[in-house]
Amino acid sequence: MTAKRRKKNTSVRRGRKKSFRTRLWNRIQRLFLFWGILIPGFVFVVYIGYLDYSVRHLFEGKRWSIPAHVYASPTELYVGAPLKADAFEDLLQQLRYRKDRRLSTEATYFRNLNRFKVSTRPFRFWDEEQPSRGIEMDFVGGEVKSLKDIDSGKSIAILRMDPVQIDSFYPSHNEDRILARLQEAPPMLIEALLATEDRNFYQHYGVSPKAILRAVIANLRAGGVVQGGSTITQQLVKNLYLNPSRSLWRKANEAMMAVILEFHYDKDEILEAYVNEVFLGQEGRRAIHGFGLASQFYFDRSLGDLELHHIALLAGLVKGASYYNPRRSPERATRRRNLVIDLMKELGHVTPEQATRAKKMPLEVSSRGRHTTTRFPAFMDVVRHQLRVEYREEDLTSEGLQILTTLELPVQKALETNAEKTLKALEKRPKVERLQVATVVTRREGGEIAALLGGRDARFNGLNRATDIQRMIGSLVKPAVYLTALDDPERYSVVTRIDDVAVELESGGKTWAPRNFDRKEHGPVELHRALAMSYNLSAVHVGLDVGIGRVVKTLRNLGIERKIRKYPSILLGAIELSPLEVTQMYQTLAADGFRTPLRSIRAVLANDGTPLRRYPLTVRQAVDPATVFLINTLLQEVMREGSGRSVYSLLSANYAVAGKTGTTNNLRDSWAAGFSGDYLAVVWLGRDDNRSIRLTGSSGALKLWSALMREVSRQPLDLVPPDSIEWVWIDSESGLRANEACSNAVEYPFISGYAPAAVSPCMKSPLEDFGSWYEELFRFGGED
């Protein structure tokens, strides 16, 4: 009994243990099942939340970095404007206007001999928004003869053409686009996109199994890929959020994010984003995104001006912009375009007649893109420097700013052409080789940089010699020396006699003994003659007399900001300045003593055309205008009779200009600086290794200065004397007051009250004249 009971109890205990283990195992299984579902579920929910945040954060924020676009100065048209018919057509081609006899769209023109009809492109300027309008104009004798509105037939007083785009500031990924609203896109473009990319776009929720199946069938029938299985939403997600790798994980993310995007946003919002995001071409490092830019890149048309055959081509590029590139593979692009047209006909978007007509049309792709590299790197250096004072690099490459500059394309073209010709001609001389050049051209009145050349290769984006090199300026400093002297009218006037004799100075145990270029001494010479002939010894004597410190102060007033050591040698130009700094100095002289900071930018506009920043003309009086008038009058003499007289081998004899040449020791640097009524130009010639170029300022830089001014300047210099200036006849032999009856008399300007008071012997009083006449009368009578 006891044994049976023990056996039974043992069995019961074993059963209980087994039951316990079973229950424990079941609990563990349920626990694993619970946590196995809960943890992955939790992770999945968190991940979906992360995707949701990512989608909304980018889509509701700034989706794209829009590059800043930089424009040249607009061309102004008016009756009498100096512009040739061929030059105007060249401008239209730079603006990417198309020839179209019907003027069916904006940015088109038709030419018949010297008569043009133009449909202009609208543009928002800093001071007004200029709409598109039809104009008719005639050219006669190198100028605009008439300018009329086609619709009204009325004359137009003045019209600004839209400016030429010269550069862009791209973000790091080099994407470029022109944002377009969905309502601005032609309905046919939307129909073409939906026909080829996503027919059920307005029915699905981001992913379409039906589209995948239909694409498979269509591709099998066509024997190639004609449709994709991804919806437009999935394509947008891939472009905006994901990398291009092909994996199941990326595809799963794409599907989930597409559903999230559809959940949060309207279909039209998604479609508008797609229209602006899709990749449609490549130009060098620049990526073409969106149909707004692609329409201009391929057809030189705005999006609203596209026709069926244009639209079908662009829609076809979505499948593979590189593979179907119409410039590189026109036949392949034509087949793809025609396939899109057939799909549109199949869905009833176009009639059979429209389809047939469109398929017969040529591609009509423009011969090239808008630009592939920086066209004016030296000028753009100056623009970037000015912009970075006020804008972050991120703003310049992402906010879509429109930067309107002062660059005048005709002047820039003339500068580049004449620089190339002049340097080639100079290098035909013995031992003249490896010349380099830097030139700055400004508007005389406002200090706006009209053209700039930083080296012999105008397209080289490297060392900018106009801003980055500093060389001795030689005799270009002499106007500042004499300006300092003339600012003391009690001691100096334009006819004050100066000793042009040898001088030796001791400094730091060394002797400085300057000499004239001709190695001669010229004795006492009048101040105006000393400047005209660029005598070194005269300049040194005057500079030492007025004080080197005062000369340095004058240089600062003229605009030189760098530190200048007060050594006697600065009186002969031992100052290292860049061509841009020299231009600022001469700009103050050209502006009659008013200092005007050089400007390369007129205005900065936001992406929507709202003006953000204007760069108006700012001036302050830096030097007495009367004294500057005296110097500018003498600088005219320099060009007419002195070291710059060879300028009139190219310019008309009565075309007034003012300027100065400069040469440094061992003929290392050749300078020319001067101005006409409308432009100022500073030219430097030299070598990068600073060796001798065997050219003086007159035999080198002045050649380019003269050729450039002959081509671009239209206004001779007409100096207007201030009220404090008086003109007095001076006997050139004695330096005393005379009148125009004196045989050697020349009229010179003086500060009022400071002209010579003593009278030249050549002048006689009216009574003396009468007595002489009376004596002569009776003398002849007696002889009779």
Side-chain angles (χ1 to χ4, degrees):
M1 187 75 177
T2 302
K4 288 183 178 180
R5 211 174 267 173
R6 281 199 301 269
K7 188 176 182 180
K8 183 178 180 182
N9 290 338
T10 301
S11 299
V12 170
R13 284 196 298 270
R14 287 176 178 171
R16 286 176 179 173
K17 287 182 180 180
K18 186 175 182 181
S19 175
F20 174 75
R21 287 197 297 268
T22 302
R23 287 195 305 272
L24 181 61
W25 177 246
N26 289 338
R27 283 186 181 180
I28 291 173
Q29 284 183 319
R30 285 196 296 270
L31 228 85
F32 271 110
L33 182 62
F34 174 75
W35 289 108
I37 294 174
L38 182 62
I39 293 176
F42 176 75
V43 172
F44 179 74
V45 170
V46 170
Y47 187 66
I48 290 294
Y50 164 74
L51 292 181
D52 182 84
Y53 170 78
S54 300
V55 168
R56 289 186 294 108
H57 178 71
L58 179 59
F59 205 82
E60 293 175 3
K62 188 175 67 175
R63 301 172 198 169
W64 301 288
S65 294
I66 311 299
H69 296 305
V70 186
Y71 297 90
S73 180
T75 297
E76 294 186 340
L77 303 176
Y78 53 90
V79 174
L83 185 64
K84 296 180 180 180
D86 289 344
F88 181 63
E89 185 167 28
D90 181 62
L91 170 66
L92 294 176
Q93 291 172 355
Q94 290 187 69
L95 287 167
R96 312 300 291 162
Y97 276 52
R98 296 181 299 104
K99 291 183 179 180
D100 182 356
R101 181 184 293 269
R102 297 180 294 115
L103 303 183
S104 56
T105 65
E106 62 189 36
T108 54
Y109 77 98
F110 172 69
R111 177 181 183 179
N112 182 16
L113 299 178
N114 288 330
R115 171 168 293 181
F116 286 80
K117 290 186 177 182
V118 183
S119 176
T120 66
R121 182 184 289 126
F123 193 84
R124 176 65 184 265
F125 290 96
W126 56 89
D127 54 354
E128 67 173 351
E129 185 169 355
Q130 186 166 280
S132 174
R133 65 190 301 184
I135 62 171
E136 183 176 352
M137 55 193 304
D138 291 291
F139 293 86
V140 176
E143 65 178 35
V144 179
K145 186 67 175 178
S146 66
L147 180 62
K148 297 179 180 179
D149 184 281
I150 291 178
D151 294 332
S152 66
K154 295 181 179 179
S155 296
I156 299 174
I158 190 168
L159 175 73
R160 277 187 296 198
M161 295 294 294
D162 51 302
V164 176
Q165 182 180 333
I166 58 173
D167 208 346
S168 295
F169 295 129
Y170 294 108
S172 58
H173 49 61
N174 291 306
E175 291 183 4
D176 194 6
R177 55 174 53 81
I178 296 176
L179 296 183
R181 297 185 180 278
L182 190 62
Q183 53 267 36
E184 297 172 354
M188 277 190 181
L189 175 61
I190 306 305
E191 292 167 351
L193 280 175
L194 298 183
T196 56
E197 299 300 321
D198 193 351
R199 296 186 184 183
N200 297 319
F201 174 73
Y202 283 100
Q203 284 76 48
H204 63 67
Y205 295 96
V207 179
S208 176
K210 185 187 296 185
I212 297 173
L213 180 61
R214 185 182 63 249
V216 171
I217 296 173
N219 292 338
L220 289 173
R221 286 178 177 174
V225 178
V226 295
Q227 291 185 30
S230 296
T231 64
I232 281 178
T233 313
Q234 286 176 276
Q235 294 179 46
L236 179 61
V237 165
K238 180 179 67 176
N239 292 337
L240 279 178
Y241 303 98
L242 303 174
N243 59 52
S245 64
R246 296 189 177 187
S247 66
L248 290 176
W249 176 247
R250 197 217 59 143
K251 201 68 179 174
N253 276 329
E254 178 186 296
M256 288 186 288
M257 295 176 82
V259 173
I260 292 171
L261 195 64
E262 293 267 2
F263 177 78
H264 285 293
Y265 303 104
D266 182 77
K267 286 284 188 180
D268 285 348
E269 288 184 88
I270 295 171
L271 190 56
E272 180 175 282
Y274 182 81
V275 165
N276 287 296
E277 171 59 28
V278 63
F279 172 72
L280 293 170
Q282 190 81 28
E283 183 186 30
R285 297 176 58 190
R286 175 187 180 216
I288 309 301
H289 283 258
F291 288 93
L293 179 59
S295 62
Q296 293 190 6
F297 178 70
Y298 288 109
F299 305 114
D300 292 329
R301 294 172 180 250
S302 62
L303 191 58
D305 292 333
L306 298 182
E307 299 178 32
L308 174 57
H309 57 291
H310 305 130
I311 289 170
L313 177 60
L314 293 185
L317 290 176
V318 174
K319 187 61 60 183
S322 178
Y323 186 74
Y324 294 109
N325 186 326
R327 293 194 178 100
R328 199 165 54 230
S329 307
E331 294 182 359
R332 187 185 296 160
T334 301
R335 290 195 298 270
R336 177 66 183 169
R337 179 200 69 176
N338 293 344
L339 177 60
V340 174
I341 294 172
D342 288 336
L343 289 173
M344 294 178 71
K345 181 182 69 173
E346 177 186 324
L347 295 174
H349 297 317
V350 297
T351 65
E353 291 77 16
Q354 287 176 310
T356 301
R357 187 164 54 251
K359 289 166 70 173
K360 290 181 179 179
M361 295 292 291
L363 292 179
E364 293 187 342
V365 174
S366 59
S367 59
R368 56 186 174 87
R370 300 180 76 82
H371 55 84
T372 57
T373 58
T374 299
R375 297 169 60 192
F376 311 109
F379 178 79
M380 289 304 301
D381 273 349
V382 180
V383 171
R384 284 189 182 92
H385 179 76
Q386 186 172 348
L387 286 171
R388 283 170 179 162
V389 175
E390 298 170 336
Y391 295 93
R392 299 177 303 163
E393 185 70 20
E394 179 185 352
D395 297 330
L396 295 178
T397 59
S398 65
E399 297 294 338
L401 301 179
Q402 298 182 56
I403 301 161
L404 304 174
T405 74
T406 60
L407 184 71
E408 298 181 23
L409 291 179
V411 179
Q412 181 70 29
K413 181 180 179 180
L415 171 57
E416 293 176 7
T417 302
N418 283 288
E420 183 180 2
K421 290 180 180 178
T422 302
L423 264 60
K424 285 183 178 179
L426 291 174
E427 288 182 334
K428 292 180 180 179
R429 301 183 182 186
K431 298 183 180 181
V432 177
E433 58 185 2
R434 297 170 61 187
L435 291 177
Q436 273 295 352
V437 60
T439 304
V440 183
V441 184
T442 65
R443 278 283 181 180
R444 179 191 167 218
E445 291 184 353
E448 297 176 330
I449 299 176
L452 192 143
L453 190 62
R456 188 164 187 163
D457 183 357
R459 303 293 174 263
F460 177 66
N461 195 0
L463 176 64
N464 185 354
R465 294 166 185 83
T467 60
D468 297 340
I469 67 164
Q470 294 84 41
R471 293 293 180 90
M472 300 288 186
I473 65 172
S475 293
L476 293 191
V477 78
K478 289 176 182 174
V481 175
Y482 290 111
L483 183 66
T484 307
L486 292 171
D487 201 39
D488 186 0
E490 292 185 354
R491 299 180 59 217
Y492 285 96
S493 72
V494 297
V495 296
T496 299
R497 292 189 180 272
I498 303 166
D499 288 330
D500 187 68
V501 294
V503 59
E504 290 186 0
L505 297 175
E506 296 292 332
S507 177
K510 295 182 179 180
T511 301
W512 184 57
R515 293 183 296 178
N516 284 325
F517 185 77
D518 61 5
R519 303 294 193 268
K520 298 178 181 178
E521 299 177 23
H522 303 91
V525 293
E526 292 182 337
L527 186 148
H528 70 89
R529 182 67 177 173
L531 179 57
M533 303 310 296
S534 198
Y535 292 149
N536 291 336
L537 298 177
S538 301
V540 171
H541 279 286
V542 170
L544 293 175
D545 183 53
V546 300
I548 296 173
R550 288 186 60 199
V551 174
V552 171
K553 183 180 178 181
T554 298
L555 288 168
R556 296 204 180 283
N557 289 337
L558 291 175
I560 303 304
E561 296 180 350
R562 72 171 59 243
K563 185 177 180 179
I564 301 174
R565 296 181 180 272
K566 298 177 183 179
Y567 294 143
S569 56
I570 71 168
L571 301 175
L572 297 182
I575 311 169
E576 292 188 340
L577 299 177
S578 70
L580 193 67
E581 289 175 302
V582 174
T583 305
Q584 181 66 75
M585 171 183 165
Y586 274 78
Q587 184 70 43
T588 305
L589 294 177
D592 303 322
F594 291 89
R595 184 172 171 181
T596 305
L598 302 182
R599 296 180 298 151
S600 61
I601 305 173
R602 285 183 170 173
V604 177
L605 311 182
N607 188 43
D608 61 359
T610 304
L612 296 178
R613 183 80 163 84
R614 290 283 304 275
Y615 294 84
L617 177 66
T618 59
V619 297
R620 69 175 180 86
Q621 184 176 327
V623 188
D624 181 15
T627 311
V628 173
F629 178 84
L630 297 180
I631 280 293
N632 287 345
T633 302
L634 301 191
L635 291 178
Q636 285 183 299
E637 183 180 345
V638 170
M639 300 300 250
R640 189 173 56 250
E641 302 173 9
S643 59
R645 59 188 177 276
S646 64
V647 73
Y648 286 104
S649 63
L650 293 179
L651 298 182
S652 171
N654 59 356
Y655 200 89
V657 294
K660 186 73 183 74
T661 59
T663 309
T664 60
N665 289 344
N666 299 320
L667 304 180
R668 288 190 178 98
D669 304 281
S670 172
W671 290 91
F675 46 93
S676 63
D678 46 5
Y679 290 105
L680 177 148
V682 171
V683 178
W684 168 84
L685 298 183
R687 284 176 51 147
D688 287 339
D689 58 12
N690 204 22
R691 292 185 178 181
S692 174
I693 60 172
R694 301 177 182 274
L695 296 170
T696 65
S698 298
S699 63
L702 189 62
K703 302 294 184 184
L704 173 54
W705 191 95
S706 305
L708 176 63
M709 280 297 184
R710 178 180 62 175
E711 186 167 344
V712 304
S713 180
R714 296 292 180 269
Q715 297 176 19
L717 182 61
D718 183 15
L719 297 175
V720 179
D723 293 338
S724 57
I725 291 292
E726 63 173 334
W727 288 85
V728 177
W729 290 92
I730 300 295
D731 181 0
S732 59
E733 291 185 356
S734 65
L736 302 178
R737 185 184 288 262
N739 60 27
E740 55 186 319
C742 293
S743 59
N744 296 318
V746 180
E747 195 174 23
Y748 290 104
F750 293 87
I751 304 295
S752 295
Y754 291 98
V759 177
S760 169
C762 71
M763 291 182 63
K764 295 180 181 180
S765 67
L767 183 60
E768 290 174 323
D769 287 342
F770 177 77
S772 298
W773 173 81
Y774 185 79
E775 291 176 2
E776 289 294 319
L777 175 65
F778 280 93
R779 182 171 64 84
F780 284 116
E783 287 176 356
D784 287 340

